[in-house]
Amino acid sequence: MSEKKHIAILGSAGSIGTQTLDVVRGQRSHFEVEVLSTFNNADVLIRQAQEFTPNAVVIGDEKKYNYVREALSDLPVKVYAGEEALAQVVEMDDIDIVLTAMVGYSGLKPTLNAIRAGKQIALANKETLVVAGELVTRLAREKAVNIYPIDSEHSAIFQCMAGEWENPIEKIYLTASGGPFRGRDKAFLKSVRKEQALKHPNWDMGAKITIDSASLMNKGLEMIEARWLFNLQPDQIDVIVHPQSIIHSIVQFEDGSMKAQMGLPDMKLPIQYALAYPKRLKSDFPRFNFAEYPSLSFEKADTDTFRNLELAIHAMRQGGNKACILNAANEIAVEAFLKDQIGFLEMSEMIEACLEKISFIASPSYEDYVKTDTETRMLAKELLPV
Ligand code: MG
């Protein structure tokens, strides 16, 4: 009798994707890889398919289809290419849960497809909820699909909520490490380079999220993500800087009691929890040692210096397509910063200009989100220095 969960991993070549496969490698009796997909990292996809022999792989870039197919021709692995193929593959009957680990806005459509197909979601792509949280969570309710968070803060809240679903949340506190520039002022930030921003003190992650962590945009996106995941009002969500990244977030209930989840900063834990829920599987992940952390500290987030967090909070309060504008402008801004086209503080200026100029839509449809995303990207690119 097999009680294995069959998993599709979208974005398998990235940081979360590879850590998910680390988790699977350690829990072979619990998980089976059904589908692996990546946009264009063909060599990593091939290596992963050789090790895990999934039912199917999908390479996003159709030009790489033949290359992947030839490399896997000796194996019983179906090879597909392109966005349409990905939409169809997630519908496969054998899949129990779809783990979404693509970067940015590109995660929205495949996630919606997976929900439409009635698959449970393990969500690592926060931008999906930032851009279109209302639409995504409504569809998930209609399809009776659960969305299990992988983001460590949201996993923490989800873990604190176990056994508490009947009890209303009064407030949540998302913890933030503060990133590599915690305590710095604007004069310092003006001249920082990507090499400095890419050095996160506690977490080892992909480039986009590491820059977002340095600018505190990541925490702003997480506030919006939390709003939709836990059905909260904006004023029920707060951020507290906790530089050690041991307490991953806190729920405050209506009697004033607070529950927090803690552990070493290691994404494998929230990944495994999302996939194994409601079970906790025995693991050999490193254990927390109190002697190594004699004090855990907390401080207020500096939203004057880190404008991105303020912009995100404002967009969350305004609702409609504002968070979609915020996200699209931020994706262009981060890309430009990583290419040395703009400075660190100019990212906020670009996002703010887009939030002012793109038309507000109070109740956007899917098509409105697509249009908002496209228009914002065009405007943001026009704002780049030539
Ligand atoms: Mg996080």
Side-chain angles (χ1 to χ4, degrees):
M1 191 181 71
S2 162
E3 284 188 34
K4 279 189 182 181
K5 284 197 186 173
H6 293 245
I7 309 165
I9 305 171
L10 313 188
S12 67
S15 170
I16 293 289
T18 52
Q19 290 183 82
T20 301
L21 290 171
D22 290 342
V23 167
V24 171
R25 206 177 278 119
Q27 303 285 359
R28 294 272 199 180
S29 60
H30 294 280
F31 305 126
E32 187 79 46
V33 179
E34 206 63 36
V35 175
L36 293 171
S37 105
T38 174
F39 181 68
N40 62 10
N41 206 332
D43 291 316
V44 173
L45 183 69
I46 290 164
R47 244 182 296 128
Q48 292 176 336
Q50 286 164 341
E51 181 182 352
F52 291 92
T53 48
N55 192 338
V57 298
V58 184
I59 178 89
D61 184 352
E62 298 184 23
K63 293 194 289 291
K64 296 188 175 166
Y65 170 73
N66 282 327
Y67 178 68
V68 176
R69 202 197 48 175
E70 306 241 315
L72 298 177
S73 58
D74 294 344
L75 293 170
V77 176
K78 300 182 195 89
V79 179
Y80 302 102
E83 196 182 298
E84 272 312 303
L86 186 62
Q88 284 167 16
V89 162
V90 295
E91 292 178 6
M92 288 184 349
D93 285 344
D94 286 344
I95 299 171
D96 297 311
I97 187 162
V98 176
L99 186 140
T100 64
M102 310 74 107
V103 177
Y105 175 82
S106 65
L108 177 60
K109 202 172 172 193
T111 307
L112 284 170
N113 285 332
I115 296 173
R116 265 189 216 106
K119 302 302 180 188
Q120 305 302 310
I121 304 291
L123 186 90
N125 175 258
K126 73 188 76 186
E127 289 88 348
T128 292
L129 288 182
V130 170
V131 169
E134 194 165 16
L135 192 135
V136 172
T137 49
R138 198 191 320 130
L139 184 67
R141 273 195 302 276
E142 277 169 28
K143 296 282 178 187
V145 159
N146 291 323
I147 300 178
Y148 301 108
I150 285 182
D151 212 345
S152 61
E153 295 78 1
H154 305 71
S155 175
I157 291 165
F158 189 66
Q159 293 182 52
C160 292
M161 289 304 293
E164 303 272 11
W165 291 108
E166 303 296 315
N167 294 322
I169 294 172
E170 185 168 84
K171 197 167 188 169
I172 64 170
Y173 292 90
L174 298 177
T175 51
S177 70
F181 305 139
R182 181 175 63 90
R184 299 292 193 171
D185 60 13
K186 279 192 179 169
F188 176 86
L189 292 179
K190 199 171 160 44
S191 57
V192 296
R193 308 273 304 168
K194 68 178 177 212
E195 291 76 13
Q196 298 163 276
L198 283 169
K199 282 200 188 98
H200 195 278
N202 304 337
W203 294 97
D204 183 11
M205 309 175 287
K208 157 80 170 41
I209 185 172
T210 304
I211 300 302
D212 284 344
S213 295
S215 73
L216 293 202
M217 178 56 93
N218 183 51
K219 213 48 56 178
L221 301 179
E222 288 181 352
M223 291 176 85
I224 302 169
E225 179 186 14
R227 175 197 172 144
W228 298 116
L229 266 177
F230 302 107
N231 195 18
L232 300 170
Q233 293 304 310
D235 60 7
Q236 289 178 287
I237 307 166
D238 219 333
V239 164
I240 186 82
V241 173
H242 165 48
Q244 298 82 18
S245 296
I246 294 299
I247 292 181
H248 298 305
S249 279
I250 301 150
V251 181
Q252 180 177 307
F253 293 96
E254 289 187 312
D255 60 356
S257 181
M258 298 165 99
K259 275 169 88 173
Q261 185 264 339
M262 61 189 281
L264 290 173
D266 180 351
M267 284 311 295
K268 289 199 280 295
L269 215 149
I271 291 169
Q272 178 171 297
Y273 189 77
L275 293 177
Y277 180 85
K279 285 189 190 158
R280 288 189 184 274
L281 305 180
K282 189 173 170 55
S283 84
D284 58 2
F285 306 148
R287 276 12 181 198
F288 177 78
N289 178 348
F290 281 92
E292 286 168 24
Y293 293 87
S295 65
L296 299 180
S297 62
F298 304 92
E299 57 196 65
K300 201 172 166 310
D302 178 0
T303 49
D304 289 333
T305 306
F306 297 91
R307 289 269 306 137
N308 277 0
L309 179 55
E310 192 61 42
L311 293 171
I313 293 171
H314 199 57
M316 170 174 68
R317 293 209 175 109
Q318 289 177 300
N321 63 341
K322 283 287 182 184
C324 178
I325 302 169
L326 176 94
N327 179 70
N330 182 57
E331 287 190 22
I332 299 298
V334 170
E335 203 181 291
F337 176 70
L338 286 171
K339 287 184 189 156
D340 299 316
Q341 290 173 310
I342 60 173
F344 192 81
L345 294 176
E346 285 164 323
M347 291 195 285
S348 305
E349 290 167 20
M350 181 187 241
I351 296 161
E352 191 163 19
C354 290
L355 283 165
E356 275 169 21
K357 288 192 181 124
I358 299 290
S359 340
F360 179 65
I361 305 171
S363 304
S365 64
Y366 176 73
E367 289 70 30
D368 291 328
Y369 285 121
V370 173
K371 192 165 155 258
T372 298
D373 180 79
T374 308
E375 283 178 3
T376 307
R377 280 167 202 269
M378 277 169 59
L379 174 61
K381 282 178 186 163
E382 281 167 24
L383 295 170
L384 287 175
V386 274

